[in-house]
Amino acid sequence: MKKAIITGISGQDGYFLSKLLYEKGYEIHGVIRRNSSMSVGNMALLPEKVRESITIHYGDLTDANFFAKLLKDERPDELYHLAAQSFVGYSFQNPSSTYDVNISGTLNVVNAIKDYSPATRMYFAASSEMYGQPETVPQNENTPFKPRSPYAISKLAGFWTTKTYRDAYGLFMSNGISFNHESEVRGPEFVTRKISQAVGRIATGSREPLKLGNLDARKDWGYAQDYVEGMRMMLQHEKPDDFVFGTGELHTVREFATEAFSVAGMRIHWEGKGVDEKGVDEQGNVVVTVDAGLFRPLEADNFLADYSKAKKVLGWKPRTKFKELIKIMVENDMKGKKG
Ligand code: NAP
């Protein structure tokens, strides 16, 4: 039986990866940082048999001693390093803590592997945000990185740390450069979940409009469940390497919102321009407004994945289409709300 450690098991990807590794017969260990309510995040939503099979280790990414002991004690076959301060907007407000968790934290993980469990294969969760404002579209593993947020800088540092430890010490350490992936357990601060939750609320009677930032922001959005399959495939591959995961489709925030309302049976249209633009339903009610305060200080746009290497080498491809993803999310957020 293979043993895997997942950092960030309480997050979105940790939820889907736990389910996948359970189905594949792994012994799963998860790292969770303690909080006063002892909440285990999305782990609480896992099927009971999966949840109960997981061994939890309480620890923080910024604690080097914790990771040294964990790797010394467990010597896992695989380690999926998913834990991070993952929200770009927050990284502008709190760059130092983002760097502490995402850069120093990643250094703690790779050092613990190097010193105590060099046979462990590691996946690092890198990000399309590292491309910043790319000059070429679509982006692949050879596209230059031009990060435009503290989050993106921290992920690029993690990416290069992973690559450097692989080359310098002959360790099996791989980077997954994932484009945006969403789901019914996505954090509520992310725009897709903000939309699906608001649609669930508005479609069942709430009159409070959904507030969005840049409606023209375009993203390559996929379903998280598909991406965790790619992560595992990378660690089964014969050699460590870096791979892009995405859908190869671009959609605006406006398109996402329009489709989300349509899943709930509401047809909306758009009136006005810029910060005065509004989404209006068939009865003339304003259901979406623009809030300039939600714009990023520096936009990063045009992330479009060229995942041909992952397709050719690993046999990976995204299975869930844009409209299916939105349907999954909105239907989940409408559950239990219909009167
Ligand atoms: P997520 O839902 O925000 O999960 C992040 C996880 O990291 C949570 O379990 C969180 O724990 C944990 N964490 C944060 N700070 C920690 C600390 N100091 N010590 C220990 N654990 C800590 O993120 P996700 O969407 O699953 O993404 C997984 C990884 O992929 C992240 O590294 C993210 O940056 C990267 N990524 C995601 C996407 C995407 O579109 N989802 C795209 C590219 C890359 P708490 O529950 O305690 O907060």
Side-chain angles (χ1 to χ4, degrees), residues 78-123:
E78 297 170 10
L79 186 148
Y80 296 86
H81 178 33
L82 308 180
Q85 189 305 91
S86 69
F87 192 52
V88 175
Y90 181 87
S91 81
F92 280 103
Q93 291 158 12
N94 292 295
S96 310
S97 64
T98 301
Y99 287 2
D100 284 349
V101 172
N102 294 4
I103 303 178
S104 303
T106 299
L107 198 57
N108 292 336
V109 174
V110 294
N111 276 333
I113 292 176
K114 172 172 85 63
D115 293 342
Y116 300 109
S117 187
T120 296
R121 296 182 166 207
M122 187 193 87
Y123 170 89

Side-chain angles (χ1 to χ4, degrees), residues 196 199-200 203-204 263-264 329-338:
S196 66
V199 168
T204 51
V263 170
M329 293 180 71
V330 172
E331 286 183 350
N332 176 72
D333 284 326
M334 289 185 68
K335 248 190 258 160
K337 290 208 175 126
K338 286 177 191 155

Side-chain angles (χ1 to χ4, degrees), residues 7-14 31-33 35 40-42 59-62 67 81-87 101-102 123-129 151 155 176-182 185-187 189-190 224 231:
T7 72
I9 197 166
S10 59
Q12 169 186 262
D13 291 2
V31 175
I32 289 189
R33 55 178 165 170
N35 54 60
V40 292
N42 287 329
D60 196 287
L61 264 188
T62 53
F67 276 101
H81 178 33
L82 308 180
Q85 189 305 91
S86 69
F87 192 52
V101 172
N102 294 4
Y123 170 89
F124 174 67
S127 164
S128 55
E129 290 284 339
Y151 169 79
K155 282 291 170 180
I177 306 171
S178 294
F179 285 58
N180 287 60
H181 45 281
E182 318 296 314
V185 297
R186 183 63 145 150
E189 70 275 36
F190 290 90
M231 296 174 191

Side-chain angles (χ1 to χ4, degrees), residues 164-204:
T164 303
Y165 271 54
R166 168 168 88 213
D167 296 341
Y169 306 116
L171 300 167
F172 195 114
M173 294 186 167
S174 298
N175 288 296
I177 306 171
S178 294
F179 285 58
N180 287 60
H181 45 281
E182 318 296 314
S183 73
E184 65 276 29
V185 297
R186 183 63 145 150
E189 70 275 36
F190 290 90
V191 67
T192 53
R193 188 74 195 285
K194 201 169 153 184
I195 294 172
S196 66
Q197 286 189 331
V199 168
R201 179 170 57 69
I202 293 166
T204 51

Side-chain angles (χ1 to χ4, degrees), residues 250-302:
L250 268 183
H251 296 278
T252 62
V253 170
R254 189 186 294 98
E255 277 175 82
F256 196 106
T258 307
E259 180 59 28
F261 277 104
S262 109
V263 170
M266 295 174 67
R267 199 175 325 172
I268 65 164
H269 63 276
W270 299 90
E271 295 176 2
K273 285 257 171 304
V275 288
D276 295 323
E277 188 166 354
K278 292 183 176 27
V280 181
D281 72 11
E282 285 173 297
Q283 286 72 47
N285 301 308
V286 173
V287 290
V288 186
T289 58
V290 173
D291 179 350
L294 295 173
F295 281 60
R296 284 187 190 184
L298 204 56
E299 275 302 334
D301 207 4
N302 257 339

